[in-house]
Amino acid sequence: MSNTEVLNSNATNGKAIASLTLGILSIVIPSFAFSILGIVSIAMPIAVLAASVIGIIFSRKAKKEIVETNEGGRRLATLGLYFSVAAIVIQIIIALDLLIISKFTII
């Protein structure tokens, strides 16, 4: 067994870490921006959706690389996928809620 094989078996896949980071940020940043900074903008859902989609892509690529290289990080990639999908679902629920509220609001 060579040194590179030993390092690969103990190393954590970088895309798995990136996927988890993007997934968590996709959920945390909108809450932080709204509750603490009071920022409400159309750019926020777009940024969240972009980060979530990139997190999903990194998760899928990380899982493929982990199988090929025997690296660690499978659970990180899975959690990144879950957080990214949850952020997208939350954004859809918020958009539908705003649509329903605006439909019944009398101006």
Side-chain angles (χ1 to χ4, degrees):
M1 187 185 269
S2 69
N3 288 339
T4 56
E5 290 177 16
V6 171
L7 290 176
N8 283 343
S9 66
N10 294 329
T12 302
N13 186 285
K15 287 185 177 113
I17 295 170
S19 171
L20 180 61
T21 303
L22 286 168
I24 291 172
L25 288 176
S26 295
I27 292 175
V28 172
I29 285 183
S31 301
F32 173 77
F34 180 70
S35 64
I36 294 177
L37 302 176
I39 298 172
V40 180
S41 170
I42 190 67
M44 188 60 67
I46 293 170
V48 168
L49 290 174
S52 297
V53 169
I54 294 169
I56 290 169
I57 292 169
F58 276 173
S59 174
R60 300 304 299 158
K61 287 186 177 189
K63 286 185 177 189
K64 288 179 185 176
E65 287 180 7
I66 288 167
V67 169
E68 293 172 359
T69 62
N70 198 26
E71 290 178 309
R74 184 182 245 341
R75 290 184 186 145
L76 296 178
T78 302
L79 282 173
L81 177 66
Y82 290 161
F83 281 129
S84 295
V85 170
I88 291 172
V89 169
I90 290 169
Q91 289 300 314
I92 290 171
I93 291 170
I94 290 171
L96 290 174
D97 184 42
L98 291 174
L99 182 66
I100 291 169
I101 289 173
S102 68
K103 193 132 179 126
F104 293 109
T105 303
I106 299 173
I107 297 176

